[in-house]
Amino acid sequence: QASLADRLLEAPLVRFAPVKLPKASSKDSKELAKDSTALRPLGYSAADKLRRRGLGAFVLSSPAWRIAMSGGQVPTFRLEHASAPIVRETCVANGLQQITHQDFCLLWSGLGLRDNGFRDLHEFQRVNHFPGSTELTRKDSMFENLSNMVLEFGDEAIDFIPETFVLPEQADAFLDAYRETGGLWIAKPNNAACGNGIIIFRNLASTGLSLSGPA
């Protein structure tokens, strides 16, 4: 029976360099600072604006990429379910070409991959996820795993977890604690990121939070 080790190849390591912006006037610098905080469609940024205005070009700093490009094999990357402008600009600055098909060297996905997605990768493809990562990235799964660690190693070993309730399964326990202790509470969606959907409250009634669905 064949195993992954039988066909595993050691891919060459290429270090990515940070994006190097061209020198600009004080006016352009102010424009860059103003625009760089905004997320634009397709990774548009002030860096793109300065480049198109002829104020310089990004530097292809990796010799390995130059060798590949001289042979006609341009390294590629794909963005999926994410705009990721910083990732895009870093890849472009290091000589990678953005594509939309599956023949990529690097995939940056806003969503995790299914099992078959990992199985279909070849040795030279890299993704920004690993199998089972949702056990850490989903809040409910992470809390369940940490709770299991408490049962195995004790409260003193895992003493950094605030009082937590997974809704709606633990709605009754949460209401008991809320009425007894009051204080400041934070509600987070189980599977969101970047601060989306977070509610900080003292008065539960003022939030409109439903205890019958996941939070």
Side-chain angles (χ1 to χ4, degrees):
Q1 182 178 359
S3 65
L4 177 62
D6 295 332
R7 60 185 181 88
L8 182 63
L9 300 176
E10 192 68 30
L13 176 64
V14 177
R15 297 186 182 277
F16 275 40
V19 174
K20 294 183 179 180
L21 293 177
K23 292 183 179 180
S25 65
S26 58
K27 178 181 178 181
D28 291 321
S29 298
K30 293 179 181 179
E31 184 178 351
L32 176 63
K34 178 180 178 181
D35 287 358
S36 61
T37 57
L39 298 181
R40 306 295 181 87
L42 300 178
Y44 176 88
S45 71
D48 295 300
K49 182 184 295 185
L50 292 178
R51 185 170 62 247
R52 283 199 297 270
R53 286 171 54 184
L55 295 176
F58 288 138
V59 178
L60 298 182
S61 57
S62 170
W65 283 171
R66 293 196 195 99
I67 293 172
M69 294 174 69
S70 65
Q73 300 294 324
V74 180
T76 57
F77 72 98
R78 171 176 171 159
L79 300 180
E80 190 173 89
H81 305 296
S83 58
I86 294 177
V87 174
R88 174 183 174 273
E89 290 178 1
T90 301
C91 288
V92 171
N94 283 271
L96 279 75
Q97 177 183 356
Q98 185 172 359
I99 59 172
T100 57
H101 53 76
Q102 295 294 327
D103 191 19
F104 55 80
C105 297
L106 171 67
L107 169 65
W108 190 275
S109 175
L111 301 178
L113 274 67
R114 297 181 178 180
D115 290 343
N116 61 338
F118 290 106
R119 286 195 298 266
D120 292 341
L121 294 174
H122 63 63
E123 288 81 1
F124 294 105
Q125 290 183 309
R126 298 292 182 266
V127 297
N128 64 320
H129 294 276
F130 57 87
S133 60
T134 54
E135 294 297 317
L136 293 176
T137 57
R138 281 187 61 98
K139 280 80 170 177
D140 52 351
S141 298
M142 180 178 66
F143 176 68
E144 180 180 355
N145 289 318
L146 289 172
S147 298
N148 291 335
M149 297 291 285
V150 169
L151 294 177
E152 183 170 354
F153 298 104
D155 293 329
E156 293 183 358
I158 315 292
D159 62 354
F160 51 85
I161 309 173
E163 188 173 19
T164 303
F165 302 92
V166 177
L167 303 179
E169 293 86 348
Q170 299 177 317
D172 291 339
F174 161 67
L175 287 174
D176 290 342
Y178 169 76
R179 291 165 181 153
E180 180 179 346
T181 63
L184 190 66
W185 292 83
I186 179 169
K188 296 184 177 184
N190 288 334
N191 193 25
C194 302
N196 293 322
I198 292 179
I199 302 174
I200 300 177
F201 64 93
R202 293 182 184 274
N203 182 359
L204 178 61
S206 67
T207 65
L209 184 66
S210 173
L211 300 185
S212 60

